[in-house]
């Protein structure tokens, strides 16, 4: 195993913390001794041990003179856990290879400290993959005005998210739905439009293999606050954190009805203001699952950071509900092109994950 292979393994290990470590980053580590993985570790739970000391403990005496490959610069501060740099120095590691620098001003500086102690330190191996994996964490330090916004849509081959009657259950297959539950576990909030809520009455809960450390908040974008109290999202608002984003001039009687049901209401004069208020209220990442008008509005504003597209092998025709509505039509020469970071099969469906450039 060489260093790039060890980094790929570390990235694979890091995913095991998905849904359990946020707002901390996903981190994986491999101790590489004589071309063999002598120890592996990952950050498994918020507040618990970091990836590096776990991997070093597994490696034991084999860590002396070895290389530590890690997906993020080791921390150099005392938080809920002691500095990882201390554990690295005690273990006798000779070389540290990190995928990227830590943007957290409280934790960064580990690479410089290790280098000052005579270790060979390299930062940048696997940077793009590590940055894509920790996009939510990086956004937290890059942008304070809104959450990291991801859009997830399951569409037909002809780009429809519902049939002519507005129903979308089920466009995608079971494996794709399992993936979405896994995906939800890593976000602070799950968003959906008011029309989709009224048509599908979704629960917007996580019911997959990962039990999130903090269940995601449910956010409904409904300008008129016109949600029936009998809808699942409203009926269960006292049990699960639920927010409805309304227009600033939404009828007070409708807002009061939602508040009485246990719903938190955010009044906003624009979609941009709504996102800002959600960030202030603790939503660092938002996974939007439709509908078409909300998706089109977010894309049109240029605030979608990542797009999860599940394409299913069926046709819904011209009367089906388009995946996006209201997007301006630019010539090909000026059309925005996104970067593909993942593509794979989910049963009969196809997953495509894209980031805004």
């Amino acid at each position: 195993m060489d260093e790039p292979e060890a980094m790929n393994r570390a990235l694979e290990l890091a995913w095991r913390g998905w849904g359990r470590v946020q707002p901390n980053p996903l981190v994986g580590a491999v101790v590489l001794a004589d071309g063999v993985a002598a120890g592996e570790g990952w950050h498994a739970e918020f507040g618990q041990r970091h990836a590096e000391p776990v991997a070093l403990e597994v490696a034991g005496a084999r860590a002396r003179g070895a290389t530590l490959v890690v997906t993020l610069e080791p921390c150099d501060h005392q938080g809920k856990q002691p500095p990882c740099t201390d554990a690295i120095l005690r273990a006798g590691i000779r070389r540290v290879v990190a995928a990227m620098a830590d943007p957290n001003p409280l934790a960064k500086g580990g690479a410089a400290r290790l280098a000052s102690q005579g270790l060979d330190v390299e930062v940048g191996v696997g940077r793009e993959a590590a940055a894509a994996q920790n996009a939510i964490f990086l956004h937290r330090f890059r942008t304070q005005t809104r959450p990291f916004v991801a859009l997830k849509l399951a569409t037909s081959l002809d780009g429809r998210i519902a049939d002519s009657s507005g129903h979308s259950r089920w466009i995608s297959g079971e494996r794709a739905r399992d993936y979405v539950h896994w995906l939800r576990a890593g976000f602070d909030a799950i968003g959906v439009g008011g029309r989709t809520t009224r048509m599908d009455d979704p629960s917007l809960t996580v019911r997959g293999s990962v039990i999130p450390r903090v269940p995601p908040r449910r956010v409904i974008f409904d300008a008129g606050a016109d949600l029936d109290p009998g809808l699942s999202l409203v009926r269960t608002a006292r049990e699960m954190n639920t927010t409805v984003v309304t227009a600033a001039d939404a009828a007070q009687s409708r807002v009061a009805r939602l508040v009485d049901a246990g719903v938190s209401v955010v009044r906003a004069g624009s979609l941009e203001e709504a996102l800002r208020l959600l960030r202030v209220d603790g939503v660092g990442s938002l996974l939007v699952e439709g509908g078409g008008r909300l998706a089109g509005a977010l894309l049109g504003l240029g605030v979608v950071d990542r797009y999860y597209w599940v394409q299913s092998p069926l046709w819904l025709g011209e009367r089906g509900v388009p995946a996006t509505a209201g997007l301006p039509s630019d010539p090909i020469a000026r059309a925005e092109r996104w970067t593909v970071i993942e593509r794979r099969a989910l049963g009969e469906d196809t997953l495509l994950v894209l980031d805004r450039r």
Side-chain angles (χ1 to χ4, degrees):
M1 176 182 285
D2 60 17
E3 290 178 359
E5 290 171 331
M7 184 63 75
N8 288 337
R9 175 60 178 167
L11 289 164
E12 180 184 331
L13 292 167
W15 281 118
R16 298 184 185 184
W18 180 255
R20 302 299 307 178
V21 303
Q22 70 265 28
N24 283 357
L26 297 163
V27 183
V30 173
V31 176
L32 195 60
D34 299 321
V36 176
E40 296 182 341
W42 64 93
H43 184 33
E45 191 78 20
F46 177 79
Q48 295 186 11
R49 298 176 71 199
H50 293 180
E52 299 95 320
V54 173
L56 291 168
E57 181 178 302
V58 173
R62 297 185 67 187
R64 187 158 299 278
T67 296
L68 177 68
V69 178
V70 61
T71 59
L72 183 68
E73 175 188 11
C75 69
D76 191 40
H77 85 303
Q78 176 68 52
K80 290 183 174 60
Q81 293 291 318
C84 290
T85 50
D86 288 353
I88 293 168
L89 292 169
R90 283 195 306 270
I93 287 289
R94 177 188 59 82
R95 173 172 162 79
V96 172
V97 177
M100 62 179 181
D102 193 334
N104 186 343
L106 295 176
K108 68 181 183 179
R113 184 189 174 202
L114 293 172
S116 73
Q117 296 298 310
L119 275 69
D120 182 12
V121 178
E122 181 178 355
V123 178
V125 176
R127 180 186 285 114
E128 288 187 8
Q133 182 178 65
N134 268 315
I136 293 173
F137 174 73
L138 295 175
H139 178 88
R140 178 174 137 210
F141 299 96
R142 185 183 299 126
T143 305
Q144 284 75 49
T145 56
R146 62 171 177 83
F148 178 90
V149 178
L151 177 63
K152 189 281 298 178
L153 296 176
T155 80
S156 61
L157 292 171
D158 48 350
R160 308 290 166 167
I161 57 172
D163 62 21
S164 58
S165 62
H167 294 291
S168 61
R169 294 183 177 176
W170 293 105
I171 287 179
S172 58
E174 185 175 349
R175 281 190 58 185
R177 296 197 295 273
D178 287 344
Y179 171 81
V180 171
H181 281 292
W182 174 87
L183 185 64
R184 287 177 175 179
F187 283 81
D188 293 336
I190 305 166
V192 71
R195 183 175 183 272
T196 299
T197 302
R198 286 184 286 272
M199 290 297 301
D200 292 347
D201 194 16
S203 61
L204 299 185
T205 55
V206 180
R207 305 182 298 278
S209 58
V210 175
I211 299 173
R213 185 179 68 86
V214 179
R217 181 188 311 196
R218 305 175 306 179
V219 178
I220 304 98
F221 292 84
D222 188 50
D226 188 22
L227 297 178
D228 191 293
L231 289 168
S232 172
L233 287 169
V234 180
R235 284 189 292 102
T236 59
R238 297 193 187 279
E239 304 162 23
M240 297 196 64
N241 194 343
T242 304
T243 297
V244 172
V245 177
T246 73
D249 59 354
Q252 181 57 36
S253 59
R254 291 179 177 175
V255 169
R257 183 174 64 181
L258 293 174
V259 172
D260 287 345
V263 174
S264 170
V265 175
V266 172
R267 289 180 179 267
S270 65
L271 192 50
E272 298 101 316
E273 184 185 8
L275 293 174
R276 180 182 63 79
L277 292 173
L278 287 172
R279 176 66 181 261
V280 170
D281 201 29
V283 177
S285 59
L286 173 67
L287 177 65
V288 176
E289 299 192 1
R293 284 179 290 186
L294 177 58
L298 291 167
L299 287 166
L301 286 173
V303 296
V304 176
D305 302 291
R306 177 165 291 175
Y307 179 31
Y308 296 92
W309 181 20
V310 177
Q311 189 181 59
S312 299
L314 75 163
W315 302 87
L316 290 176
E318 62 181 15
R319 293 180 59 195
V321 179
T324 58
L327 275 177
S329 297
D330 291 328
I332 289 177
R334 294 204 307 269
E336 186 179 36
R337 293 186 182 271
W338 289 42
T339 299
V340 177
I341 62 170
E342 183 182 2
R343 54 163 63 90
R344 62 185 166 102
L346 295 172
E348 292 189 346
D349 303 316
T350 301
L351 170 69
L352 190 63
V353 184
L354 308 102
D355 277 357
R356 182 182 297 277
R357 289 182 175 175

